[in-house]
Amino acid sequence: MTREVLIIDPSLRSADGHHLGVLQRFRTELAKLQLDSVTLASLHMSEAFSREADLIPTFEKSIYYRSQWTREELDEGAQIFCADLRSKMRGLRLRPDIMIFPAADQATVLGLAQYLERYRLRKAPQILLWLMMAPHYRKAIDDPSVAPLLGEYEDAFAALRRVVSDDSRIHVCCETEAMAAAYQRHIGLEIETVIVHKLIERPRERRIRRPGDRIRLLCAGNANAAKGYSLLAGAIERLNRQRNDLEFLIHGTVEQTDNPEGKRELQRLAELAPNVKVRTDVFSTEDYLAWLAQADLLLQPYDPEVYRTRGSGVFAEAVKLGIPVVATKGCDFSRAAIEQGRGVGMDAFTNEGLVQAVLVAADRLDEISARAASFAVSLGVDRSLETLLARTVAAAEEPRGWLKKAFKRYVGQRPPGVATVPR
């Protein structure tokens, strides 16, 4: 029996960032299991992008929609999500056995619970949810002001568990152990740590620097406010006064970000010095990986308040390629790399903090590069997503609990000589 898979990402609206790459990874892994899928994404995408990426425009609001952070705003977001989902499910006559949410939040979970309660499918699907950010996407998860938002997660998951009535059909994942531990106390379900990154089967070929070659320091991704692009210009100016062997390759898309100063920051960088190269275009997966692979050092001067428990797709892919990193201390995604000498930590989220970390990393480049390359080789192929999906598909093929019980009663009550398999 063919299983129907529905992927839901209200925040996917363009090729910027990691949303499209994550979707492509899901589709690749599902294809290995001989499964196709339908993807419902943002209503606010171009017709060309919708067609090229095979997406169905659906949702009015993304997981970044909130500004007031009130319960009323949460309830409104959940209701809108529920209505948008209902409209497409009815219009397309979708009856999914598996629902995958690559980036969920409290409004998404609550809206899903409302949908399942009001418009029940023939049976509750297997549900996979990734919690990618803290409850407030601009604050740390342990910020005291975030406590009411954690309460929203408690209420949303309580509603979902009640309507599904079988916790084994709800699978929750995070990309960092710190975020999984923080959420698990509030949602009442076990959380797995599963990173969904672009397909990288093996580390890059080790880049050999010849005499006179500059050290390449590289950035990639969306120029969001928390990613420290505002620190780069001042830090680069100071670094250029202290060393003459550095080259800066800065990529940052500026259209779909929360940083109104992004365009100005990237323009200033483009005009800063001859050893600074800036790109703001949207990369294909192949171009993105090629851009990363040329780095000697990945720069991630991220705000540790925002990224204390949050993962980084760019970092995960750099690790698999064998690239050392300069990152702010206090970010969980890079903690192990810094502790193991595969990267260098910034002591402070400031221009000076970035300057000092880069100077240390440049002086120790051979050492940290060798450790990063060795670690990448030791990783092998990450099968965690593949295993999770295979397990979920197998679970979707099992009869529901009530059907099992009914069958057992039938077997126990059947007259002698009657076949044991109901027909």
Side-chain angles (χ1 to χ4, degrees):
M1 181 179 183
T2 302
R3 295 291 155 189
E4 296 185 10
V5 181
L6 178 63
I7 301 175
I8 295 175
D9 187 352
S11 302
L12 174 54
R13 59 181 292 178
S14 73
D16 293 18
H18 270 65
H19 287 273
L20 180 61
V22 166
L23 172 64
Q24 291 169 337
R25 176 72 191 281
F26 275 113
R27 287 174 169 174
T28 298
E29 295 301 331
L30 289 169
K32 293 178 184 177
L33 297 168
Q34 299 183 323
L35 291 173
D36 292 325
S37 60
V38 172
T39 303
L40 307 183
S42 172
L43 191 65
H44 307 289
M45 70 179 81
S46 70
E47 183 178 342
F49 179 66
S50 171
R51 183 174 58 254
E52 292 166 5
D54 192 18
L55 305 172
I56 300 174
T58 303
F59 299 103
E60 179 183 340
K61 295 183 180 295
S62 75
I63 62 173
Y64 310 105
Y65 79 95
R66 297 184 71 172
S67 59
Q68 303 301 313
W69 304 98
T70 62
R71 184 60 190 239
E72 291 75 18
E73 187 181 47
L74 168 69
D75 290 339
E76 178 189 23
Q79 290 165 9
I80 291 173
F81 175 88
C82 177
D84 289 343
L85 180 61
R86 172 181 178 267
S87 175
K88 278 295 184 289
M89 294 285 274
R90 291 183 63 182
L92 300 174
R93 297 185 178 180
L94 298 174
R95 296 293 185 270
D97 302 283
I98 300 170
M99 300 177 78
I100 299 174
F101 293 77
D105 68 348
Q106 58 268 59
T108 306
V109 174
L110 183 58
L112 174 62
Q114 293 172 355
Y115 171 79
L116 293 175
E117 187 169 30
R118 297 175 188 175
Y119 315 105
R120 289 185 179 273
L121 307 177
R122 63 179 179 268
K123 64 177 181 180
Q126 293 283 327
I127 300 168
L128 275 69
L129 293 154
W130 266 259
L131 304 179
M132 304 295 290
M133 300 183 297
H136 190 306
Y137 58 82
R138 292 183 178 177
K139 295 183 179 181
I141 204 165
D142 59 354
D143 187 307
S145 67
V146 170
L149 305 182
L150 286 168
E152 294 178 352
Y153 272 87
E154 293 175 0
D155 294 344
F157 273 94
L160 182 62
R161 294 172 67 191
R162 183 177 61 253
V163 70
V164 172
S165 72
D166 182 353
D167 284 354
S168 70
R169 303 186 77 81
I170 306 172
H171 312 269
V172 186
C173 304
C174 290
E175 290 197 335
T176 69
E177 294 180 0
M179 183 168 285
Y183 272 125
Q184 193 159 307
R185 296 192 295 269
H186 296 276
I187 71 172
L189 295 169
E190 181 181 350
I191 300 179
E192 296 185 61
T193 302
V194 180
I195 299 175
V196 186
H197 45 61
K198 293 181 173 66
L199 285 168
I200 302 172
E201 295 295 337
R202 62 185 62 85
R204 65 176 181 176
E205 292 292 326
R206 180 80 177 272
R207 192 174 102 80
I208 305 299
R209 290 178 53 245
R210 297 174 177 81
D213 284 354
R214 292 175 179 265
I215 298 171
R216 293 176 181 170
L217 300 101
L218 181 144
C219 294
N222 285 85
N224 291 325
K227 292 186 176 179
Y229 281 82
S230 61
L231 305 180
L232 292 176
I236 290 172
E237 288 177 333
R238 297 181 64 176
L239 287 165
N240 279 344
R241 290 197 292 268
Q242 297 188 55
R243 299 187 65 123
N244 61 2
D245 61 345
L246 305 178
E247 179 181 10
F248 298 91
L249 306 177
I250 310 300
H251 170 259
T253 55
V254 296
E255 296 302 325
Q256 308 293 338
T257 76
D258 63 352
N259 183 13
E261 297 299 315
K263 288 184 179 180
R264 186 180 304 174
E265 291 168 359
L266 270 294
Q267 183 62 39
R268 180 185 175 192
L269 286 166
E271 300 168 352
L272 193 63
N275 66 330
V276 181
K277 177 181 179 180
V278 173
R279 292 185 62 174
T280 59
D281 52 323
V282 177
F283 287 152
S284 67
T285 296
E286 294 74 17
D287 289 343
Y288 163 76
L289 294 177
W291 176 264
L292 272 186
Q294 64 185 322
D296 293 305
L297 285 167
L298 176 68
L299 297 184
Q300 292 194 290
Y302 289 7
D303 185 342
E305 287 297 302
V306 176
Y307 278 89
R308 185 172 302 167
T309 56
R310 186 171 166 181
S312 164
V314 178
F315 175 80
E317 288 137 14
V319 168
K320 289 185 70 67
L321 288 169
I323 302 170
V325 64
V326 170
T328 319
K329 291 180 180 178
C331 300
D332 188 67
F333 69 81
S334 60
R335 174 182 50 79
I338 294 169
E339 291 175 352
Q340 295 167 9
R342 299 181 278 117
V344 173
M346 294 167 49
D347 290 326
F349 179 59
T350 61
N351 292 354
E352 180 63 19
L354 178 56
V355 168
Q356 294 306 316
V358 167
L359 292 174
V360 170
D363 287 340
R364 296 173 48 203
L365 185 59
D366 289 342
E367 172 195 343
I368 61 176
S369 296
R371 290 184 177 180
S374 177
F375 184 79
V377 171
S378 74
L379 289 175
V381 179
D382 183 359
R383 304 285 186 193
S384 57
L385 178 61
E386 179 182 343
T387 300
L388 174 62
L389 290 176
R391 192 169 71 234
T392 304
V393 170
E397 293 173 351
E398 294 180 358
R400 290 295 310 274
W402 65 265
L403 182 58
K404 289 182 178 179
K405 292 177 182 178
F407 177 58
K408 287 181 180 179
R409 286 197 301 270
Y410 171 86
V411 171
Q413 298 171 4
R414 75 185 189 279
V418 176
T420 58
V421 178
R423 301 184 185 280

